[in-house]
Amino acid sequence: MERYPFEYDHTRPFSQQVSDWAADVFYDILPEAGFEVRDEQIYMAFQLERAFSEKQVIFAEAGVGTGKTLVYLLYAICYARYTRKPAVIACADESLIEQLVKPGGDIAKLNEYLNLTIDARLGKSPDQYVCLVKLDTARYGYEDTALYKELYGELPEFVNTPAAMQSFYPYGDRKDYPHMTDEQWDRIGWDTFQDCFVCEKRHRCGQTLSRDHYRRSADLIVCSHDFYMEHLWTYEGRKREGQLPLLPEHCSVVFDEGHLLESAAQKALTYKLKHVVFEELITRLLKGEVRESLAVLIDEAIDRSESMFNVLENQVDAIPGSERKRVLLNEQLLQEIRFFQEILTSIEEELVFESELYTLNDYQLRIVEEHIEMMQKALSLFQHSDKLICWAIESVTGLTLVIMPRTVKEVLQERVFSTRMPIVFSSATLSVEGSFDYVADSMGLDKYLSFSVDSSYDYAEQMKVFMPKWPFGGTFSEKMKTAVSMLVRTDGRALILFRTKDELQQFKKEIVHYPECEGMRFGFEGDKEISHLIEAFQHDEQSVLCAVSLWEGLDIPGPSLSNVILWSLPFPPQDPVFMAKRHSVKNPFEEVDLPYMLLRLKQGMGRLIRSRGDRGVITILCEEQPQLELLREHISGLLPAGVQLQASIDEDE
């Protein structure tokens, strides 16, 4: 196979040659294969040429149907072959990375029509793989044990018996178990409290083997935003521990649905502390020969940790509609945190002496030191409580304290934007009412390239948008009746997007009482693996897909998706992260809530029309609220030219 899909001329700039080839692709090669010429793609190609040649950050906002994915793929692949390092394509979540590499997707099209052999491999997050330790617990547990025993019996032979390295291969992907509910998967899927460093099965673990696979990619590594940020955040720590970083060296990054990167960065920068995990880890040191002074400190640290979490239990407050509990900081809790930090510092000093005596296992010692260092970093944030966000999550094994820095701008600047490599933010919704300021400011970007091109679809002919006015203010019953009416109108063929899991569950519980929908087939996010649900929805034309996480990226052209119902306006949740954002600005509604909602709403509406042949309706079920008329104005401003926001679902009948 030739290194480049064009004849390379050493006397000309490489980026210009890629741009010329891209023009040939979009004006000649693809039209000859039956694709339509899109001027927006040529325009985008010239814009990306500058970003790649100057190694700059670019916001590439391009409407639905402009073919933006094909453009950035062409540049990413060519640049990867030029630098001999893979490019990273980071998507918003795991379901979207599956869509990018699915049969008939954009990568498959490039392979077929441009005669390219593209080496594209998935780098999935650890929680997308079976944890062998948790599986052992689950198959002897109390629920669904038969299911887990069957799964255990289907594991590759090399997992539990000696085998040559050549026989190892990746396994245990969440996608391989589509009929498991999310709740069932959570019992066996990896989580942050699994101590992989000392796991005797780590070299035969599915996620470990998958890393070896995707690291060998020559062209593209496709991963989620979360996974990319986790790579950056753990890069130095993994090197210190003698491990490879999660991702290999790469030449460029494309953040598809780039407006969601900030939340992924915040998620990656979180610290999670749990008493039972700390106790189990620190007591490992007592298995060796340690001095009495260290043993005493370990016992005291366990007591201090338990005391801190006991005080924490009395300082948490439930947040309606969220599993996160607000932490109410007071002097007693802060004092307990300081006491605990002091003990950890004393242990760190003692471990320096122990390491010189060589009485402790060096590997175990390094693990404990890394964990204590992580805890110290997390707890030190409480010295400036105005710069942190924290919350607690309750489980059967006790509270988990979650801590994150209030802003991630500094980290993104240092570890992403200062790397001097091309970085592309791609989405149909990067700007808010014509400005990129909201997204750029959230990430601390003051220097970037940008462009925006609209979709070429005739939306005035292809779609109708309803936002009903309610006799009783938009009660749950009114919403249900309207949703059912719209489902009957299109005979299913609908995507219903919910703001929260609670909304989805309430709808799921009530829809069975409406005989009009008795024959309709519903798929609910959480009941099965998400990419399996999407595939089933696409091929079962009259079905209905109900989801919380598919506001972005879902691409299903054709009659299977003829109806989008938005159950409520997607304002940000009332959780500690957005509470902190609101607290830091003068006008929380205009500077935080409204821009977030408009971006997400525009994404949700963008799921409907995915090709020139698509036709359909969008219904926004917004309950009565003080700013409703103002919201109607803003939402009307989001709509494509010629599309009117209609106040009654009967207006077009």
Side-chain angles (χ1 to χ4, degrees):
M1 182 187 72
E2 294 291 333
R3 181 176 174 186
Y4 303 118
F6 51 85
E7 188 173 341
Y8 179 50
D9 182 353
H10 291 271
T11 65
R12 296 179 58 215
F14 179 75
S15 60
Q16 288 184 10
Q17 296 181 65
V18 177
S19 184
D20 291 344
W21 173 66
D24 291 339
V25 167
F26 295 122
Y27 276 133
D28 299 323
I29 301 174
L30 290 182
E32 288 177 4
F35 291 80
E36 64 176 296
V37 175
R38 294 172 177 170
D39 291 336
E40 296 88 356
Q41 288 177 314
I42 305 299
Y43 178 77
M44 182 175 177
F46 283 118
Q47 299 300 314
L48 289 190
E49 176 194 342
R50 182 181 172 191
F52 274 83
S53 62
E54 298 179 8
K55 300 179 181 178
Q56 290 205 50
V57 177
I58 186 168
F59 287 138
E61 182 178 60
V64 177
T66 54
K68 55 184 175 294
T69 306
L70 288 177
V71 180
Y72 73 59
L73 284 174
L74 294 182
Y75 273 87
I77 292 164
C78 290
Y79 198 67
R81 296 183 179 184
Y82 178 66
T83 60
R84 297 185 184 274
K85 298 177 184 177
V88 172
I89 311 296
C91 302
D93 57 37
E94 304 293 338
S95 65
L96 299 185
I97 73 175
E98 291 284 356
Q99 290 193 73
L100 191 59
V101 299
K102 69 181 179 181
D106 287 325
I107 291 177
K109 290 175 183 176
L110 293 181
N111 272 323
E112 180 179 357
Y113 296 109
L114 301 185
N115 197 27
L116 287 173
T117 303
I118 301 169
D119 186 4
R121 309 190 187 191
L122 297 185
K124 290 194 169 185
S125 298
D127 61 7
Q128 295 296 302
Y129 291 93
V130 169
C131 171
L132 297 175
V133 173
K134 289 179 70 175
L135 177 59
D136 279 342
T137 301
R139 63 194 177 102
Y140 295 113
Y142 300 101
E143 296 184 66
D144 304 310
T145 53
L147 173 69
Y148 299 126
K149 287 178 180 178
E150 181 182 0
L151 189 155
Y152 180 83
E154 295 172 351
L155 292 176
E157 186 176 350
F158 62 73
V159 174
N160 296 303
T161 59
M165 287 298 293
Q166 288 86 343
S167 67
F168 285 25
Y169 54 86
Y171 69 94
D173 189 332
R174 171 70 172 104
K175 189 171 183 288
D176 297 334
Y177 310 102
H179 297 290
M180 272 193 177
T181 67
D182 286 353
E183 184 179 0
Q184 290 170 330
W185 176 259
D186 286 343
R187 298 191 195 112
I188 62 168
W190 181 90
D191 62 59
T192 55
F193 293 113
Q194 301 311 304
D195 194 349
C196 301
F197 302 122
V198 296
C199 180
E200 61 182 14
K201 299 180 180 180
R202 65 185 182 278
H203 298 304
R204 296 168 189 264
C205 169
Q207 65 160 298
T208 302
L209 298 176
S210 75
R211 287 178 191 161
D212 181 65
H213 173 71
Y214 69 67
R215 290 181 65 86
R216 300 173 187 270
S217 176
D219 292 326
L220 304 175
I221 297 175
V222 186
C223 66
S224 67
H225 291 177
D226 289 351
F227 191 62
Y228 189 81
M229 296 310 301
E230 186 72 17
H231 157 72
L232 295 179
W233 189 233
T234 61
Y235 183 86
E236 294 296 336
R238 293 182 68 86
K239 287 177 65 176
R240 285 197 303 270
E241 294 163 2
Q243 301 184 80
L244 291 172
L246 294 179
L247 291 169
E249 285 192 42
H250 44 280
C251 65
S252 61
V253 186
V254 177
F255 293 111
D256 205 341
E257 306 299 350
H259 61 289
L260 298 176
L261 181 64
E262 183 199 15
S263 61
Q266 286 181 317
K267 183 178 178 181
L269 297 180
T270 57
Y271 300 94
K272 294 184 178 181
L273 309 185
K274 199 167 189 174
H275 171 69
V276 293
V277 173
F278 171 71
E279 183 176 15
E280 190 278 331
L281 188 78
I282 200 72
T283 52
R284 290 178 187 172
L285 297 178
L286 298 176
K287 296 177 182 178
E289 296 181 6
V290 298
R291 290 173 299 123
E292 183 179 356
S293 58
L294 176 58
V296 170
L297 283 173
I298 290 173
D299 286 339
E300 189 175 348
I302 293 171
D303 290 341
R304 279 297 177 193
S305 173
E306 188 172 25
S307 177
M308 183 182 75
F309 276 92
N310 285 338
V311 173
L312 179 65
E313 284 187 5
N314 296 320
Q315 290 300 121
V316 296
D317 186 26
I319 301 173
S322 174
E323 66 173 3
R324 297 175 177 180
K325 293 178 177 290
R326 184 188 297 109
V327 176
L328 306 174
L329 296 178
N330 66 355
E331 184 54 37
Q332 184 185 9
L333 178 58
L334 293 175
Q335 186 179 48
E336 288 291 340
I337 291 171
R338 288 194 292 269
F339 286 155
F340 188 39
Q341 283 184 278
E342 291 171 3
I343 294 296
L344 292 179
T345 300
S346 298
I347 290 177
E348 287 177 313
E349 293 171 353
E350 288 287 329
L351 290 179
V352 173
F353 292 109
E354 291 290 344
S355 65
E356 295 173 352
L357 296 174
Y358 301 102
T359 57
L360 293 174
N361 178 279
D362 184 61
Y363 187 63
Q364 290 276 10
L365 178 61
R366 191 164 68 247
I367 292 168
V368 174
E369 287 176 330
E370 286 288 338
H371 192 82
I372 292 177
E373 182 183 352
M374 178 275 291
M375 296 180 74
Q376 290 281 45
K377 286 180 180 177
L379 296 173
S380 66
L381 292 174
F382 283 96
Q383 295 174 10
H384 305 282
S385 56
D386 59 325
K387 294 184 179 180
L388 68 78
I389 304 169
C390 63
W391 63 89
I393 300 174
E394 199 161 8
S395 70
V396 293
T397 55
L399 284 179
T400 298
L401 177 61
V402 185
I403 307 164
M404 69 159 59
R406 187 176 289 271
T407 65
V408 297
K409 296 179 181 180
E410 295 82 2
V411 177
L412 289 173
Q413 281 286 353
E414 177 185 350
R415 305 191 185 189
V416 180
F417 303 132
S418 65
T419 54
R420 288 292 298 157
M421 66 178 174
I423 298 173
V424 179
F425 287 86
S426 175
S427 178
T429 54
L430 287 170
S431 65
V432 179
E433 298 180 331
S435 172
F436 292 95
D437 290 348
Y438 175 73
V439 174
D441 290 347
S442 70
M443 293 183 286
L445 262 176
D446 53 13
K447 181 183 178 184
Y448 55 87
L449 305 175
S450 66
F451 70 89
S452 182
V453 292
D454 292 329
S455 171
S456 60
Y457 293 158
D458 186 358
Y459 286 101
E461 289 294 322
Q462 293 180 256
M463 65 187 276
K464 295 183 182 296
V465 182
F466 305 103
M467 187 171 171
K469 291 185 177 180
W470 311 102
F472 303 103
T475 63
F476 178 79
S477 177
E478 284 180 304
K479 284 188 172 187
M480 284 297 301
K481 290 177 181 177
T482 300
V484 167
S485 175
M486 297 307 295
L487 291 175
V488 170
R489 177 183 295 202
T490 56
D491 198 12
R493 299 182 174 88
L495 170 68
I496 309 180
L497 292 173
F498 298 88
R499 192 170 68 92
T500 66
K501 293 179 181 178
D502 288 346
E503 288 183 346
L504 183 148
Q505 290 301 323
Q506 190 177 11
F507 176 87
K508 180 181 179 181
K509 181 180 178 181
E510 293 298 324
I511 192 63
V512 297
H513 301 303
Y514 288 81
E516 304 97 313
C517 300
E518 187 175 355
M520 295 182 186
R521 294 170 294 281
F522 288 82
F524 295 95
E525 182 176 355
D527 285 358
K528 296 180 181 179
E529 192 270 332
I530 189 66
S531 63
H532 177 80
L533 281 173
I534 293 170
E535 184 178 2
F537 172 62
Q538 185 169 11
H539 291 97
D540 184 359
E541 183 178 313
Q542 293 177 302
S543 63
V544 180
L545 178 58
C546 303
V548 176
S549 67
L550 297 179
W551 292 76
E552 290 91 7
L554 184 68
D555 185 16
I556 300 183
S560 290
L561 210 173
S562 302
N563 183 355
V564 173
I565 299 173
L566 309 174
W567 188 259
S568 57
L569 292 181
F571 282 107
Q574 295 295 325
D575 71 3
V577 175
F578 282 96
M579 287 177 181
K581 280 177 169 285
R582 296 181 185 104
H583 186 69
S584 65
V585 299
K586 292 182 179 179
N587 192 324
F589 179 76
E590 292 186 2
E591 297 180 57
V592 177
D593 292 354
L594 184 61
Y596 176 96
M597 184 277 289
L598 292 175
L599 274 177
R600 197 157 175 79
L601 183 66
K602 190 174 180 181
Q603 281 285 350
M605 293 192 295
R607 299 313 99 216
L608 181 65
I609 304 300
R610 309 302 298 180
S611 71
R612 292 195 186 280
D614 286 351
R615 297 289 187 276
V617 293
I618 295 171
T619 309
I620 304 169
L621 305 180
C622 174
E623 58 272 9
E624 197 70 38
Q625 52 186 280
Q627 308 101 330
L628 188 56
E629 288 309 312
L630 175 64
L631 290 174
R632 283 183 178 275
E633 291 180 20
H634 282 289
I635 293 170
S636 293
L638 288 182
L639 302 181
V643 178
Q644 301 296 318
L645 187 63
Q646 301 181 35
S648 169
I649 62 173
D650 300 319
E651 286 186 21
D652 66 327
E653 294 186 341

